Amino acid sequence: MDKSVEHISLAAKNYADALIQICNDGVMTLDKLADELKLVDDTLAESADLREVLCNPSFTDEVKTDILEDIFKGKIDEHLIYFLKILVYKKRIAEFSEIHEDFVDKLNDLRNIQPVTVVSAVELDEDYKNRIVEKLNSRLGKTVQPTWNIDSDIIAGITVKINDDVIDMSLKTRIDKLSKSLMLK
């Protein structure tokens, strides 16, 4: 599980557990639920007006649930619409993004997947990317799901971020360390 989830509330974690249970009960598949949760999270992220209405206490819960039903009916499973309504009634809809994040972390744990971020100074060729992924798969004992970024500030080499841990093999860091050690002498 992602070690940077201290910001996720206990309630959000409990709701994420409930979503996993829905899949365990055979109501929905994990893949379908993951896709639909992403759709809802993306929709909420893209619309400040929608988020404002859903979190505004001057709108009734019925108005909020009607809006959600109008937006998502036919696009997501009725069980997920019902789940969103529960979040509205329990005053937890503002935590939807946290619930989604924790669900993804739990899903990755179930599937033995480890997301990592690899930053390089230049675009890496596919062969080099594959070798990095193979080494990380072996080292972590999990299936690595990489995100590739480019940052010319690291000069050369790569950095790999795994949860809160960073493996820094960049030339910039080596130069900084050498510079600091020379200044101490």
Side-chain angles (χ1 to χ4, degrees):
M1 184 175 300
D2 189 342
K3 306 228 183 341
S4 66
V5 293
E6 287 83 27
H7 69 279
I8 296 178
S9 72
L10 180 59
K13 291 178 182 184
N14 289 337
Y15 282 110
D17 287 338
L19 289 170
I20 295 288
Q21 189 59 47
I22 286 171
C23 295
N24 289 341
D25 292 344
V27 174
M28 294 176 74
T29 66
L30 285 168
D31 290 328
K32 180 179 181 189
L33 183 55
D35 291 343
E36 291 183 3
L37 288 171
K38 182 172 180 353
L39 173 68
V40 173
D41 203 16
D42 289 348
T43 302
L44 292 174
E46 292 169 5
S47 177
D49 292 338
L50 177 59
R51 285 191 317 274
E52 186 176 323
V53 167
L54 292 174
C55 296
N56 189 329
S58 56
F59 289 95
T60 66
D61 290 345
E62 289 73 25
V63 167
K64 294 174 186 180
T65 57
D66 287 347
I67 290 170
L68 287 171
E69 185 135 11
D70 288 344
I71 292 171
F72 293 113
K73 189 166 183 93
K75 295 178 183 164
I76 63 174
D77 189 275
E78 63 187 46
H79 293 93
L80 185 52
I81 290 175
Y82 183 71
F83 179 80
L84 294 174
K85 289 178 179 183
I86 290 171
L87 294 179
V88 168
Y89 290 123
K90 297 288 186 177
K91 311 296 184 226
R92 296 289 186 178
I93 194 70
E95 295 179 59
F96 183 83
S97 210
E98 290 178 34
I99 295 166
H100 179 228
E101 182 180 346
D102 197 59
F103 174 85
V104 170
D105 289 340
K106 290 175 186 329
L107 184 59
N108 285 341
D109 280 349
L110 287 171
R111 293 181 170 171
N112 202 31
I113 293 173
Q114 177 62 59
V116 300
T117 302
V118 181
V119 180
S120 60
V122 296
E123 180 68 34
L124 302 174
D125 66 39
E126 287 305 311
D127 182 53
Y128 194 62
K129 286 181 179 180
N130 290 335
R131 290 191 315 210
I132 291 170
V133 169
E134 285 174 21
K135 275 200 185 272
L136 289 171
N137 285 341
S138 174
R139 182 174 179 180
L140 299 173
K142 294 186 175 198
T143 302
V144 170
Q145 187 177 54
T147 301
W148 305 96
N149 295 326
I150 298 173
D151 181 0
S152 60
D153 289 344
I154 68 171
I155 304 171
I158 63 170
T159 62
V160 179
K161 185 171 190 259
I162 307 165
N163 297 325
D164 288 336
D165 298 325
V166 176
I167 302 168
D168 193 338
M169 299 171 283
S170 68
L171 184 56
K172 180 183 182 330
T173 299
R174 290 180 184 166
I175 291 170
D176 290 347
K177 286 180 183 177
L178 180 60
S179 175
K180 286 179 185 176
S181 75
L182 290 174
M183 293 174 92
L184 293 173
K185 293 183 181 187

